[in-house]
Amino acid sequence: MSVVNVLFLVICMTIDFKEQEIIMERVKALLKGEERFALVETYGCQQNVNDSQKYEGILQKMGYTLTDDREKADFIMFNTCAVRDRAEKKVLGNIGALKHLKAKKPRMVIAIAGCMSQQESVEKKIRASYPHVDMILGTRAMADFPRALEAVLVEKKRVINREENDCVLENVPTNYDGGCKAFVSIMYGCNNFCTYCIVPYVRGRERSRSMEAVIEECTLLAKRGVKEITLLGQNVNSYGKDMGMTEGFATLLGEVDKIDGIERIRFMSSHPKDISDEVLSVMANSKHICHQLHLPLQSGSDKLLKEMNRVYNREKYLSIVDKAKKLMPDLAITTDIIVGFPTETEEDFEDTLDMLKTVKYDSIFSFIYSKREGTPAAKMEFAATEEEIRARFDRLLSVQNDISYELNKKCEGEVQEVLVEGMSKEEGILTSRNYANKIVNFKGDESLVGKIVKVKITRAQTWILIGEVCG
Ligand code: SAH
Ligand code: SF4
Ligand code: F3S
């Protein structure tokens, strides 16, 4: 373990995963060369998807073969999300369903990791009602995974690690899936404490990876044939602040843009309170950064934005959009919206609809507010009934569908570069993404997968574009 940054009394430790190699070898020896299968099921955001690829990489290194089949698996991990109640209920239901599988195959090891398992209340629930769960790992316990698995296999005892620390892991074996796109986490945690959100409680404070480590990973991915990289963090615009950098994210973007072979760069999420002019200008002047910005709004009401602790208002948000569109007239903007925040009135909701119509988002990710115990919003009284909130949600989707269709319609006749991801469900039809991350389907064969192709858009639908290869 080495201390890489001591700044303003904040100590961020970097743990080199190579230190776990001896334990990983020991676990491999325990499996005695017998084929054992492992399954990691992921819930939640891209950062969790990226963590799961690391858990899979570690399992492969310890001798496991990956499978999608729960019946076949000797090791099952649920990498969980706590952001909304529905995701939590689904996981608990799925853990319950594993009971009979474990009864049939006693050597099966069951683990839960990720944001749900970081919570004390979940640990209590598992202890009380799910005796078949062998391992609970919090969001900062990945370095301890090989030891925990060894303890479960050898001592046949349950292992729990929900330690809170400010560590960043490097050199973690990762199961990059071999596709043309990859996620790269550039920072962990969140300092913002939006009043509805559980993330800062379960993911801890912001910790940035070193710029060298991020560049090294992106370079390695480029060598493996990855064409598109999405840089991940809860608030990428504050990348490097914990290391004393100003404009750390703009600098990082500029450096990733220089890597040979990386043809497209995206990033998320971008908190409006922290996005700098420099980031927008690096985007506009870069060769490879897609002119696409995910800029979560959450609500269009100034009153609600204040109560949500978002630290910007409509005016500030619109001024960012304005600046960005002046620099990049073709910019595609997407956002996150919460409907039914406790104090939301009809008037507040109409302010949100008004923002949708003003900004004209290419698409939105919309969520009905879910109460998270321990957050300030959990104590607030509701101003609307469940029925009213449902109806608002439907109205929001309908307004946005019209906007998405209108924007897609404008693409008809355009020639766009798309990155081909694979065959679609329809025979002979490829599925790809344009710079705006919109799906473009067109006729073609497998030889185009992983390539950037020029396609003429022939027809717009609400969610996807249809095209044909340009001759
Ligand atoms: N860090 C990102 C968001 C991560 S969570 C950002 O600030 O943009 C992804 C989205 O989930 C949030 O943008 C928000 O729209 C939604 N979300 C978070 N907490 C929620 C809650 N309690 N109920 C409903 N949606 C929530
Ligand atoms: Fe949650 Fe806000 Fe942090 Fe995003 S910025 S993870 S919404 S607290
Ligand atoms: Fe969910 Fe954790 Fe991501 S709560 S949204 S998996 S950071």
Side-chain angles (χ1 to χ4, degrees), residues 12-59:
C12 176
M13 312 265 245
T14 296
I15 300 179
D16 190 335
F17 207 85
K18 285 184 185 144
E19 291 171 17
Q20 309 300 321
E21 250 157 37
I22 297 170
I23 309 180
M24 289 195 284
E25 279 302 318
R26 284 207 305 262
V27 175
K28 197 170 180 177
L30 279 173
L31 306 184
K32 299 189 191 89
E34 244 181 75
E35 186 158 43
R36 299 272 179 119
F37 293 94
L39 165 63
V40 180
E41 270 187 35
T42 312
Y43 302 79
C45 63
Q46 285 89 343
Q47 203 136 40
N48 251 20
V49 172
N50 192 224
D51 284 352
S52 288
Q53 291 173 334
K54 292 176 185 160
Y55 276 117
E56 287 174 351
I58 301 167
L59 283 158

Side-chain angles (χ1 to χ4, degrees), residues 237 247 250 253 272-285 316 319-324 327-328:
N237 296 316
E247 296 300 351
L253 277 177
K273 83 177 168 61
D274 291 313
I275 192 161
S276 69
D277 292 355
E278 189 59 22
V279 165
L280 296 177
S281 126
V282 171
M283 265 179 97
N285 296 317
K316 158 100 198 260
S319 79
I320 300 166
V321 171
D322 219 41
K323 249 186 249 166
L327 287 168
M328 296 167 273

Side-chain angles (χ1 to χ4, degrees), residues 126-127 130-135 152 156-160:
I126 300 281
R127 278 184 189 280
Y130 301 88
H132 55 295
V133 172
D134 303 288
M135 193 190 298
V152 171
K156 311 264 180 273
K157 65 170 192 194
R158 177 184 272 176
V159 178
I160 297 173

